[in-house]
CSV table of all heavy atoms in Angstrom, one decimal:
chain,number,residue,atom,x,y,z
A,236,VAL,N,-36.9,-89.3,-22.9
A,236,VAL,CA,-36.5,-90.3,-23.9
A,236,VAL,C,-37.5,-90.4,-25.0
A,236,VAL,O,-37.1,-90.4,-26.2
A,236,VAL,CB,-36.3,-91.7,-23.2
A,236,VAL,CG1,-36.3,-92.8,-24.2
A,236,VAL,CG2,-35.0,-91.7,-22.4
A,237,ILE,N,-38.8,-90.3,-24.7
A,237,ILE,CA,-39.8,-90.4,-25.7
A,237,ILE,C,-39.7,-89.2,-26.6
A,237,ILE,O,-39.8,-89.3,-27.8
A,237,ILE,CB,-41.2,-90.5,-25.0
A,237,ILE,CG1,-41.3,-91.8,-24.3
A,237,ILE,CG2,-42.3,-90.3,-26.1
A,237,ILE,CD1,-42.6,-91.8,-23.4
A,238,ARG,N,-39.5,-88.0,-26.0
A,238,ARG,CA,-39.6,-86.8,-26.8
A,238,ARG,C,-38.3,-86.7,-27.7
A,238,ARG,O,-38.4,-86.3,-28.9
A,238,ARG,CB,-39.7,-85.6,-25.9
A,238,ARG,CG,-39.8,-84.3,-26.6
A,238,ARG,CD,-39.9,-83.1,-25.6
A,238,ARG,NE,-40.1,-81.9,-26.2
A,238,ARG,CZ,-39.1,-81.0,-26.5
A,238,ARG,NH1,-37.9,-81.4,-26.3
A,238,ARG,NH2,-39.4,-79.9,-27.1
A,239,ASP,N,-37.2,-86.9,-27.1
A,239,ASP,CA,-35.9,-86.6,-27.8
A,239,ASP,C,-35.2,-87.8,-28.4
A,239,ASP,O,-34.3,-87.7,-29.2
A,239,ASP,CB,-35.0,-85.9,-26.9
A,239,ASP,CG,-35.6,-84.6,-26.4
A,239,ASP,OD1,-36.4,-84.0,-27.1
A,239,ASP,OD2,-35.2,-84.2,-25.2
A,240,GLY,N,-35.7,-89.0,-28.1
A,240,GLY,CA,-35.0,-90.2,-28.6
A,240,GLY,C,-33.7,-90.5,-27.8
A,240,GLY,O,-33.4,-89.8,-26.9
A,241,ILE,N,-33.1,-91.7,-28.1
A,241,ILE,CA,-31.9,-92.1,-27.4
A,241,ILE,C,-30.7,-92.0,-28.3
A,241,ILE,O,-30.7,-92.7,-29.3
A,241,ILE,CB,-32.1,-93.6,-26.9
A,241,ILE,CG1,-33.4,-93.7,-26.1
A,241,ILE,CG2,-30.9,-94.0,-26.0
A,241,ILE,CD1,-33.7,-95.2,-25.8
A,242,LYS,N,-29.7,-91.3,-27.9
A,242,LYS,CA,-28.5,-91.2,-28.7
A,242,LYS,C,-27.7,-92.5,-28.5
A,242,LYS,O,-27.2,-92.7,-27.4
A,242,LYS,CB,-27.7,-90.0,-28.3
A,242,LYS,CG,-27.5,-89.0,-29.3
A,242,LYS,CD,-26.6,-87.9,-29.0
A,242,LYS,CE,-26.1,-87.4,-30.3
A,242,LYS,NZ,-25.4,-86.3,-30.6
A,243,THR,N,-27.6,-93.3,-29.5
A,243,THR,CA,-27.0,-94.6,-29.3
A,243,THR,C,-25.9,-94.8,-30.3
A,243,THR,O,-25.9,-94.5,-31.5
A,243,THR,CB,-28.1,-95.7,-29.7
A,243,THR,OG1,-29.3,-95.4,-28.9
A,243,THR,CG2,-27.6,-97.1,-29.4
A,244,VAL,N,-24.7,-95.2,-29.7
A,244,VAL,CA,-23.6,-95.5,-30.6
A,244,VAL,C,-23.2,-96.9,-30.6
A,244,VAL,O,-23.3,-97.6,-29.5
A,244,VAL,CB,-22.4,-94.6,-30.1
A,244,VAL,CG1,-22.0,-94.9,-28.7
A,244,VAL,CG2,-21.2,-94.7,-31.0
A,245,ILE,N,-22.9,-97.4,-31.8
A,245,ILE,CA,-22.5,-98.8,-31.9
A,245,ILE,C,-21.0,-98.9,-32.0
A,245,ILE,O,-20.4,-98.3,-32.9
A,245,ILE,CB,-23.1,-99.5,-33.2
A,245,ILE,CG1,-24.6,-99.3,-33.2
A,245,ILE,CG2,-22.7,-100.9,-33.3
A,245,ILE,CD1,-25.3,-99.8,-34.5
A,246,VAL,N,-20.3,-99.5,-31.1
A,246,VAL,CA,-18.9,-99.5,-31.1
A,246,VAL,C,-18.4,-101.0,-31.0
A,246,VAL,O,-19.1,-101.9,-30.6
A,246,VAL,CB,-18.2,-98.7,-30.0
A,246,VAL,CG1,-18.4,-97.2,-30.2
A,246,VAL,CG2,-18.7,-99.1,-28.6
A,247,GLY,N,-17.1,-101.1,-31.3
A,247,GLY,CA,-16.5,-102.5,-31.2
A,247,GLY,C,-15.2,-102.5,-32.0
A,247,GLY,O,-14.9,-101.5,-32.8
A,248,ARG,N,-14.5,-103.6,-31.9
A,248,ARG,CA,-13.2,-103.6,-32.8
A,248,ARG,C,-13.6,-103.9,-34.2
A,248,ARG,O,-14.8,-104.2,-34.5
A,248,ARG,CB,-12.3,-104.6,-32.2
A,248,ARG,CG,-12.7,-106.0,-32.2
A,248,ARG,CD,-11.6,-106.9,-31.6
A,248,ARG,NE,-12.2,-108.2,-31.2
A,248,ARG,CZ,-12.5,-109.2,-32.0
A,248,ARG,NH1,-12.3,-109.0,-33.3
A,248,ARG,NH2,-13.0,-110.3,-31.6
A,249,PRO,N,-12.7,-103.8,-35.1
A,249,PRO,CA,-13.1,-104.0,-36.5
A,249,PRO,C,-13.7,-105.4,-36.8
A,249,PRO,O,-13.3,-106.3,-36.2
A,249,PRO,CB,-11.8,-103.8,-37.3
A,249,PRO,CG,-10.9,-103.0,-36.4
A,249,PRO,CD,-11.3,-103.4,-35.0
A,250,ASN,N,-14.6,-105.4,-37.8
A,250,ASN,CA,-15.1,-106.6,-38.3
A,250,ASN,C,-16.0,-107.5,-37.4
A,250,ASN,O,-16.3,-108.6,-37.8
A,250,ASN,CB,-13.9,-107.5,-38.8
A,250,ASN,CG,-14.1,-108.1,-40.2
A,250,ASN,OD1,-14.8,-107.4,-41.0
A,250,ASN,ND2,-13.6,-109.2,-40.4
A,251,VAL,N,-16.4,-106.9,-36.3
A,251,VAL,CA,-17.3,-107.7,-35.4
A,251,VAL,C,-18.7,-107.7,-35.8
A,251,VAL,O,-19.5,-108.5,-35.4
A,251,VAL,CB,-17.2,-107.2,-33.9
A,251,VAL,CG1,-15.8,-107.5,-33.3
A,251,VAL,CG2,-17.5,-105.7,-33.8
A,252,GLY,N,-19.0,-106.8,-36.8
A,252,GLY,CA,-20.4,-106.8,-37.3
A,252,GLY,C,-21.2,-105.6,-36.9
A,252,GLY,O,-22.4,-105.6,-36.8
Side-chain angles (χ1 to χ4, degrees):
V236 164
I237 293 170
R238 181 178 186 268
D239 301 333
I241 308 170
K242 240 183 160 174
T243 306
V244 62
I245 306 175
V246 291
R248 64 180 162 77
N250 228 30
V251 290

